[in-house]
Amino acid sequence: MPVTSADSSPEPAARPAAPSGPLLEPSAHPGRESTGFAVTARHGEKARAGVITTPHGEIATPAFVPVGTKATVKAVLPESMADLGAQALLANAYHLYLQPGHDLVDEAGGLGAFMNWPGPTYTDSGGFQVMSLGAGFRKVLSSEFSGGEKARTASGEDDAVAEGKERLAHVDDDGVTFRSFINGDEHRFTPEVSMQIQHGLGADIMFAFDELTTLMNSRGYQERALERTRLWALRCLAEHARLTAERTHRPYQQLWGVIQGAQYEDLRRQAARDLGAMDVEGWSFDGFGIGGALEKENLGTIVGWVTDELPEDRPRHLLGISEVDDLFTAIAAGADTFDCVSPSRVARNSAVYTRTGRVNLTGARYRRQFSPIDETCDCYTCTHYTAAYVHHLFRAKEMLSSTLCTIHNERFVVRLVDEIRAALGTGDFDALREERTGAYYGSPR
Ligand SMILES: [Zn+2]
């Protein structure tokens, strides 16, 4: 049903912004007590290893969480994702809301059951895709988080706006009205709608609905957007409590608040303090996401401001990173989990990560490389196929090229983060960072 103004009924059916009666006690959900987070090792000022417990299993952190935008990591079986060591997968609420619809996924038993992935799952709030459509984003790290194919450019790098696009999303204090990327139909997301969609999708870890800004927004706009995100966070907690009470037949779903504030130290710190202490009748966030516009050179600084202020006993997810140096920087600054669409997106464009940097397999030098893409890689592709064969697949435009390269790239990032986690336990983090960034970029970072 098209929506024409902020007062119209959103899809799905409108529900009250705040529950009318008292909320369920957080402990009243039978699954709540079996979820949580424990720190198992620390290194330096901020870095830590730990374990997130969900109804679908544990996630040893730091962990890289591959993105399966539409309930599939493109071109790769869920079984292969498990084999390559992925501990959890993240799907995009926006895409699954539009197709096939969260009610259908709910009927199927939730995201994991629907896609035959028995492990933990995450969904984002839908806010990033909704708000990045048509906004004049410059290249920021978080633009990598977009699941939209329209963000792809020939270089494999991402910019969140496609050429010639009109602005397709309008934000007001109550929510966001936007047009479907599939057929142009108008839809509306509010904090309550995002919670209803994510409860329907049934992921173990969900994110609060937040307003995404860009580095080009004015300071004044950033302040107003941040206040809006704070008020939306309160509404998300209330709706999450109501839905959890309604859905005790389902496994408990964690809700993580998202810290915005762009490049401003005072805004980031304030947002982290506000959401870290937020409490709606005993309901608080189970963890936190760090979102929004982050320039690569400020990544560690900004994550550091936020983790300074957040409670130590809850996990932190950094949205949209997978570069080798960014992972070390974010983990050193106290982030625990990460997602990114890049490893699979660039793989489909023939770009692969190797110990000594990123390369493109369509290059003539691979035509007769009858050895693996990367001799040091233990992935299924590198243990069964040669670079020459994958080069041929790309030249011949065969679909198997995407499968083999995605397996390789996802394994590369998952394994790197696994190695970092091990190094946090043995005190070798700094040595590993120097070695791996040195090999990848030519000099340590
Ligand atoms: Zn490999």
Side-chain angles (χ1 to χ4, degrees):
M1 180 175 60
V3 174
T4 51
S5 82
D7 298 319
S8 301
S9 298
E11 278 285 348
R15 285 177 170 151
S20 46
L23 299 174
L24 174 85
E25 288 286 320
S27 58
H29 191 287
R32 178 81 192 256
E33 279 176 20
S34 58
T35 67
F37 176 64
V39 173
T40 55
R42 292 181 188 280
H43 174 81
E45 222 177 294
K46 296 263 180 105
R48 65 215 197 141
V51 179
I52 299 168
T53 305
T54 81
H56 293 93
E58 294 184 342
I59 304 166
T61 66
F64 179 70
V65 181
V67 176
T69 294
K70 301 176 185 174
T72 168
V73 178
K74 290 185 198 307
V76 178
L77 289 169
E79 293 87 335
S80 301
M81 294 307 296
D83 288 346
L84 67 81
Q87 302 183 70
L89 298 179
L90 182 147
N92 295 120
Y94 166 77
H95 292 81
L96 293 176
Y97 157 77
L98 291 175
Q99 185 181 47
H102 52 288
D103 289 341
L104 188 132
V105 176
D106 195 15
E107 216 180 302
L111 177 63
F114 187 45
M115 67 182 290
N116 190 32
W117 171 260
T121 48
Y122 291 55
T123 48
D124 64 358
S125 70
F128 180 85
Q129 277 83 16
V130 164
M131 281 173 255
S132 63
L133 289 173
F137 282 10
R138 56 188 285 198
K139 193 177 295 175
V140 292
L141 281 165
S142 282
S143 70
E144 299 277 340
F145 184 59
S146 167
E149 290 301 317
K150 290 168 184 168
R152 193 170 71 195
T153 62
S155 67
E157 296 296 339
D158 298 297
D159 194 286
V161 68
E163 276 177 43
K165 284 181 74 170
E166 57 172 321
R167 187 173 182 87
L168 294 177
H170 295 277
V171 183
D172 58 59
D173 285 343
D174 184 56
V176 184
T177 301
F178 62 97
R179 288 188 180 279
S180 160
F181 78 97
I182 296 173
N183 58 14
D185 283 357
E186 203 162 53
H187 296 265
R188 186 164 171 79
F189 274 14
T190 63
E192 290 76 23
V193 169
S194 174
M195 289 298 98
Q196 290 155 20
I197 292 167
Q198 291 188 81
H199 271 267
L201 295 174
D204 297 295
I205 294 166
M206 310 178 285
F207 289 96
F209 192 65
D210 57 324
E211 180 175 358
L212 180 73
T213 59
T214 78
L215 293 170
M216 290 182 297
N217 289 125
S218 66
R219 162 84 195 198
Y221 189 87
Q222 301 286 5
E223 289 173 12
R224 289 193 296 281
L226 200 64
E227 175 61 5
R228 197 178 263 154
T229 291
R230 188 183 74 79
L231 296 171
W232 287 359
L234 288 163
R235 287 166 57 184
C236 284
L237 274 174
E239 183 67 0
H240 169 58
R242 191 186 71 73
L243 289 164
T244 302
E246 215 177 74
R247 296 168 56 86
T248 50
H249 59 292
R250 291 295 200 194
Y252 180 76
Q253 296 178 258
Q254 299 186 28
L255 178 60
W256 295 15
V258 178
I259 311 300
Q260 292 284 355
Q263 70 273 43
Y264 298 103
E265 178 172 1
D266 58 332
L267 298 186
R268 285 276 179 188
R269 287 185 182 276
Q270 187 61 50
R273 282 196 295 270
D274 286 344
L275 270 68
M278 194 167 275
D279 182 301
V280 177
E281 294 186 34
W283 288 78
S284 54
F285 290 114
D286 302 290
F288 301 92
I290 303 168
L294 295 176
E295 282 180 316
K296 191 179 181 77
E297 53 272 30
N298 298 328
L299 177 70
T301 307
I302 292 175
V303 173
W305 296 334
V306 171
T307 56
D308 271 352
E309 307 292 342
L310 285 176
E312 263 289 305
D313 62 352
R314 282 174 265 172
R316 302 121 176 198
H317 181 85
L318 183 57
L319 293 150
I321 68 155
S322 63
E323 287 289 317
V324 171
D325 54 348
D326 295 338
L327 290 166
F328 279 101
T329 299
I331 290 167
D336 301 306
T337 64
F338 316 89
D339 74 274
C340 193
V341 75
S342 279
S344 63
R345 180 176 290 165
V346 304
R348 298 194 301 280
N349 278 333
S350 64
V352 289
Y353 310 128
T354 74
R355 187 66 68 118
T356 52
R358 182 170 134 174
V359 300
N360 194 307
L361 285 177
T362 53
R365 56 188 269 223
Y366 297 103
R367 189 153 183 259
R368 287 191 168 75
Q369 186 181 312
F370 301 113
S371 58
I373 293 167
D374 183 342
E375 296 277 8
T376 67
C377 182
D378 63 358
C379 84
Y380 186 84
T381 301
C382 289
T383 52
H384 292 79
Y385 300 94
T386 64
Y389 178 61
V390 184
H391 169 91
H392 155 69
L393 293 176
F394 274 112
R395 289 286 174 150
K397 298 188 167 34
E398 284 292 337
M399 289 187 284
L400 186 57
S401 59
S402 294
T403 302
L404 294 179
C405 285
T406 304
I407 288 172
H408 169 81
N409 276 359
E410 296 287 7
R411 173 61 188 158
F412 180 91
V413 181
V414 164
R415 184 185 186 192
L416 173 63
V417 176
D418 287 351
E419 287 172 2
I420 296 174
R421 183 171 65 250
L424 290 172
T426 56
D428 297 322
F429 177 83
D430 297 324
L432 182 70
R433 182 178 193 167
E434 192 175 329
E435 179 210 323
R436 295 302 301 272
T437 61
Y440 195 84
Y441 298 104
S443 59
R445 293 188 179 179

